[in-house]
Amino acid sequence: MAEKAAGGVQRGGADMDRTHTTENAVMETVRSCAREILAPAMVEFVKWILRSAGERNIRRVYFLARDGWPMYRAARILSRAVEPAVDCRYLCCSRYALRIPCFSLMEKQEIADQICVGGVDVTLQKLLKRGGLDDGEVRRAAEELGRETELDRILPYREIDRLRESLMEGELFWSYVYRHAGEAYGPASAWIIQEGLLEPVRYAVADSGWTGSMQLTLNRLLDSMSYRGKLEGFYYGLYHIPEKADPRDYHVYYFGPEGRIKRKVYFSNCLFESVFSQPEGMCIGYERTEEGVAPLREEVRPGNGAILDCVTREVEEQAGAEKESLPERLLDWHIQEPGDAQRRLARLMARPTRKEAEVFGGMAFSDDVLDGGETLAAPLSEEQIRENRFLARGLSMSGLRREPVHESAWMEGSILLCGRHVGRHLWHNRLYKYALYYRKQMRERKKR
């Protein structure tokens, strides 16, 4: 018995050693990518933000949580003792935290349009929670719709569109939406005042981007509070600008709604916001406290903290190194067109190594307005990867295919993790993305 016990201890020690070695290898990959790829790309973007702010006489920049955290940390270093001065601040918010109070200012149809949109593995439960409903309210609203047994079923795109009509007829659902919106508006307005967004200073927001909806929502809340200033935004990239927004108020660094299709094809917005983030829970609203107003947060995403801390440290070090050679006057900064740093980032996103796919693909990620339990690179079979090819996706979005497609937030990572016919599947994935972005560009042009 003693010999068996001793052997058990030895095996346990070996397992611990292997685990420690694996963790060290993971973090070495993260440090290497952060130092050589992620940090240089991020610092170039932040330099562009600050230079653009100086050109437009903007004196304050709010970096929006949580993607804005590494941007903010770099900006604090780069903006020291610059002329003109730019006040860099971090604004704790989220699409959800701003959208729920904004629903109190909107008609049902507009709210339904924001709730009933596609994404990765969208279910009825996710859609209903986008309206601010808690678990019990979700169940009761689903019962009213006659769908109480379908809460966790993944919905095809066409069914999401049809669900909009059903929601418009549900009285219980709308009673919940407007009650939560009314309760959220007061604390959110107080938070906006507390953070200085009504002060007589010209400011802008900065974020990763993609659709520009945060700026539009924040602007709507500001309008309801009689703010008469102009709100502008700086973004890494935008696939779309809201229809009711003025495009002149949206400034892009890497790509905008029109053009730059190759950049979009070789880019992964989901990987970008996974590695550039704050290791804190998502802001889901605000509450009044004795000291003022404080953000309410969800629980922290499991497993991401060490990676995010490492990336942010490397971003800060890169910013510190570049700060030493920058002129004091912002307008004297020479901002290059996205070059080597962005090409290295494109390589990581579109053609990762197996190790990079394992390390970053395993990060916790949610494509929705609330955090979920998904991973960035979903573990897909080769057959499920084939479902994401151009023809199969077209059949799904047109409604000719009834079953939903198994998607991944970072398909390139999933292809590497699958490991079968990698080059062929990456080629088909690029083909689908080229078709997708050409189609979106045509839509943008028709709007004009």
Side-chain angles (χ1 to χ4, degrees):
M1 292 290 291
E3 290 178 356
K4 290 182 180 180
V9 171
Q10 289 174 348
R11 285 194 299 272
D15 289 343
M16 291 178 65
D17 288 341
R18 281 194 295 272
T19 300
H20 184 66
T21 301
T22 301
E23 290 176 353
N24 285 341
V26 166
M27 292 312 300
E28 184 54 40
T29 299
V30 173
R31 275 189 292 273
S32 176
C33 287
R35 187 178 302 118
E36 298 171 12
I37 302 173
L38 302 175
M42 175 55 69
V43 171
E44 281 299 308
F45 172 46
V46 175
K47 285 161 58 180
W48 172 84
I49 292 174
L50 295 174
R51 165 67 189 259
S52 299
E55 291 174 340
R56 291 173 169 79
N57 200 31
I58 290 170
R59 293 293 175 258
R60 182 184 298 169
V61 177
Y62 288 95
F63 294 86
L64 304 184
R66 292 171 290 179
D67 302 1
W69 180 246
M71 305 175 201
Y72 165 69
R73 301 294 294 183
R76 289 204 333 168
I77 296 169
L78 294 168
S79 64
R80 289 173 186 162
V82 298
E83 178 62 37
V86 179
D87 178 13
C88 298
R89 301 189 181 187
Y90 184 65
L91 187 66
C92 188
C93 60
S94 69
R95 284 183 294 166
Y96 184 85
L98 296 179
R99 187 177 289 178
I100 296 302
C102 197
F103 282 166
S104 66
L105 309 172
M106 297 162 62
E107 299 294 331
K108 291 181 181 180
Q109 186 63 60
E110 189 177 359
I111 297 173
D113 289 342
Q114 293 195 12
I115 289 174
C116 296
V117 294
V120 177
D121 295 343
V122 174
T123 63
L124 177 60
Q125 180 162 242
K126 284 185 178 181
L127 290 180
L128 295 176
K129 285 202 168 186
R130 290 173 183 175
L133 282 64
D134 62 31
D135 290 337
E137 292 166 345
V138 164
R139 287 193 299 272
R140 289 189 286 274
E143 289 173 1
E144 183 183 45
L145 295 171
R147 291 171 172 256
E148 61 271 20
T149 62
E150 303 178 19
L151 281 171
D152 297 317
R153 179 172 65 83
I154 297 175
L155 304 173
Y157 282 91
R158 284 294 182 183
E159 189 171 347
I160 294 172
D161 285 338
R162 291 194 297 269
L163 188 60
R164 183 184 290 106
E165 299 176 7
S166 299
L167 281 183
M168 291 297 295
E169 300 172 359
E171 294 183 8
L172 186 61
F173 171 73
W174 292 108
S175 69
Y176 291 144
V177 168
Y178 282 117
R179 177 166 61 81
H180 287 297
E183 293 171 349
Y185 182 85
S189 300
W191 174 255
I192 286 172
I193 295 171
Q194 179 177 289
E195 295 303 295
L197 279 84
L198 297 188
E199 293 175 0
V201 57
R202 189 172 182 189
Y203 63 82
V205 296
D207 195 13
S208 51
W210 322 144
T211 66
S213 61
M214 289 266 283
Q215 181 178 333
L216 183 69
T217 303
L218 180 58
N219 208 24
R220 194 159 188 169
L221 288 170
L222 290 168
D223 284 345
S224 74
M225 301 169 69
S226 300
Y227 176 71
R228 293 295 174 260
K230 180 181 181 181
L231 180 61
E232 299 182 56
F234 299 114
Y235 301 99
Y236 192 90
L238 286 172
Y239 299 104
H240 170 74
I241 293 175
E243 290 186 16
K244 296 182 180 180
D246 186 344
R248 294 172 297 181
D249 297 335
Y250 290 73
H251 312 296
V252 297
Y253 170 68
Y254 194 55
F255 59 80
E258 290 197 41
R260 302 296 188 185
I261 289 178
K262 184 176 181 180
R263 289 185 179 181
K264 296 172 188 174
V265 169
Y266 285 81
F267 188 78
S268 170
N269 58 301
C270 296
L271 176 58
F272 188 97
E273 61 188 66
S274 291
V275 296
F276 294 123
S277 188
Q278 183 186 26
E280 299 286 344
M282 191 188 84
C283 175
I284 57 173
Y286 306 96
E287 65 176 347
R288 298 183 187 274
T289 67
E290 292 182 359
E291 293 77 23
V293 186
L296 293 167
R297 294 182 182 271
E298 281 193 321
E299 292 184 8
V300 180
R301 295 175 181 172
N304 288 359
I307 293 177
L308 297 180
D309 285 337
C310 179
V311 171
T312 300
R313 281 196 301 271
E314 293 296 336
V315 168
E316 290 176 322
E317 289 188 17
Q318 180 79 21
E322 295 200 26
K323 172 65 177 174
E324 295 179 2
S325 61
L326 288 173
E328 181 177 320
R329 290 185 72 249
L330 275 176
L331 298 185
D332 291 336
W333 288 14
H334 177 63
I335 307 299
Q336 298 179 343
E337 278 290 305
D340 289 343
Q342 311 306 328
R343 281 192 288 271
R344 290 194 296 271
L345 182 60
R347 197 281 307 159
L348 171 65
M349 291 177 163
R351 296 193 187 100
T353 65
R354 170 80 186 209
K355 186 65 178 177
E356 291 164 347
E358 290 174 348
V359 170
F360 296 113
M363 295 181 72
F365 175 79
S366 177
D367 184 50
D368 216 81
V369 293
L370 290 170
D371 277 349
E374 300 88 2
T375 56
L376 177 62
L380 301 181
S381 67
E382 188 173 18
E383 182 58 35
Q384 290 170 335
I385 289 171
R386 287 196 187 97
E387 293 176 357
N388 285 272
R389 290 183 178 180
F390 174 70
L391 181 58
R393 290 293 293 265
L395 291 173
S396 176
M397 298 192 76
S398 66
L400 296 176
R401 175 192 169 103
R402 294 185 178 181
E403 292 301 315
V405 171
H406 294 85
E407 298 184 72
S408 172
W410 184 29
M411 181 55 68
E412 293 88 345
S414 294
I415 290 171
L416 264 292
L417 293 178
C418 175
R420 293 181 58 81
H421 304 108
V422 170
R424 183 190 306 168
H425 291 309
L426 287 176
W427 184 87
H428 277 284
N429 185 61
R430 289 194 295 272
L431 177 64
Y432 165 71
K433 292 173 79 173
Y434 268 113
L436 174 68
Y437 295 127
Y438 271 116
R439 184 178 179 224
K440 286 188 175 182
Q441 179 166 286
M442 293 302 103
R443 286 182 174 177
E444 291 294 328
R445 288 178 178 175
K446 286 181 180 179
K447 290 178 184 177
R448 301 203 309 267

